[in-house]
């Protein structure tokens, strides 16, 4: 893997990750973890958690962090440019032409399909993050399938498969987020503290 190869990988991700940072995260996970094995699934999702917690777009943060992790500062710069460049090019083109074609039936049809596809990709990223954080099974394969195998074939106990602390904190923070007007940054800090103290 060279820096040029990495640039084209992130350019491809930036070009097709329609729907934002979590869709880009799904592409990065599939490409860097599953396809090339450049980074472990556990480390990838740790980097994703940090990228979500720091200011700025998730996709750009993730590209910068992963590039730096793989190739140092030069990798961070190359991956960030690769991730951002397609969006820049597309936005310039859209700004020039979209107002003229947005009412065309073909354009409306394309967006009617892109919306549910994007939603599905975001849900995929959500399921992957939840499974990595709430299961004790650490595998580069599908952790949900591996957890099911552990429960039903290996006869491991539920406590050996599920991370009850993580599940409890997730439920608690979800309720507090829904029922209170506390700023999300508070939950980021509280979650980090809980992770240090209990997980």
């Amino acid at each position: 893997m060279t820096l040029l190869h990495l640039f084209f990988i992130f350019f491809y991700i930036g070009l097709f990750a329609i729907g934002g940072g979590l869709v880009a995260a799904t592409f990065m996970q599939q490409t860097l973890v599953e396809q090339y094995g450049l980074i472990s699934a556990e480390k990838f999702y740790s980097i994703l958690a940090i990228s979500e917690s720091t200011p700025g777009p998730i996709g750009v943060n993730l590209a910068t962090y992963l590039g730096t992790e793989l190739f140092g500062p030069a990798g961070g710069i190359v991956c960030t440019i690769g991730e951002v460049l397609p969006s820049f090019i597309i936005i310039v083109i859209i700004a020039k032409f979209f107002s003229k074609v947005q009412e065309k039936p073909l354009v409306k049809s394309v967006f009617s399909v892109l919306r549910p596809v994007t939603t599905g990709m975001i849900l995929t990223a959500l399921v992957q993050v939840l499974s990595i954080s709430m299961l004790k099974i650490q595998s580069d394969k599908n952790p949900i399938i591996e957890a099911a195998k552990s429960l039903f074939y290996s006869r491991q106990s539920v406590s050996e498969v599920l991370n009850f602390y993580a599940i409890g904190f997730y439920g608690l923070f979800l309720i507090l987020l829904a029922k209170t007007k506390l700023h999300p940054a508070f939950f980021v800090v509280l979650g980090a503290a809980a992770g240090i103290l209990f997980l």
Side-chain angles (χ1 to χ4, degrees), residues 134-137 143 146-148 150-151 156-163:
M134 295 185 183
L135 298 175
K136 291 182 179 178
I137 304 297
E146 295 302 309
S150 298
L151 285 171
Q156 287 182 275
S157 66
V158 175
S159 62
E160 290 178 300
V161 175
L162 298 179
N163 187 333

Side-chain angles (χ1 to χ4, degrees), residues 93-170:
I93 295 169
I94 287 175
K96 188 170 180 62
F97 297 109
F98 187 67
S99 60
K100 298 176 184 177
V101 298
Q102 61 182 332
E103 297 302 322
K104 301 279 186 185
L106 180 62
V107 174
K108 287 185 174 181
S109 298
V110 167
F111 279 100
S112 69
V113 173
L114 282 177
R115 291 186 194 105
V117 168
T118 299
T119 303
M121 295 186 75
I122 292 170
L123 287 175
T124 298
L126 174 64
V127 169
Q128 289 172 337
V129 171
L130 287 176
S131 62
I132 286 288
S133 60
M134 295 185 183
L135 298 175
K136 291 182 179 178
I137 304 297
Q138 301 299 333
S139 173
D140 289 339
K141 299 177 181 178
N142 188 315
I144 296 175
I145 293 173
E146 295 302 309
K149 286 180 181 176
S150 298
L151 285 171
F152 296 109
Y153 293 111
S154 302
R155 302 295 183 187
Q156 287 182 275
S157 66
V158 175
S159 62
E160 290 178 300
V161 175
L162 298 179
N163 187 333
F164 289 114
Y165 279 116
I167 293 169
F169 282 123
Y170 174 77

Side-chain angles (χ1 to χ4, degrees), residues 20-59:
L22 286 176
V23 176
T26 303
F27 274 118
M28 291 179 201
Q29 188 271 340
Q30 290 173 344
T31 307
L32 301 178
V33 177
E34 295 180 8
Q35 186 175 350
Y36 291 106
L38 293 175
I39 193 167
S40 69
E42 184 180 7
K43 190 163 192 177
F44 176 84
Y45 286 110
S46 296
I47 291 172
L48 177 61
I50 294 169
S51 299
E52 288 181 304
S53 304
T54 49
I58 297 170

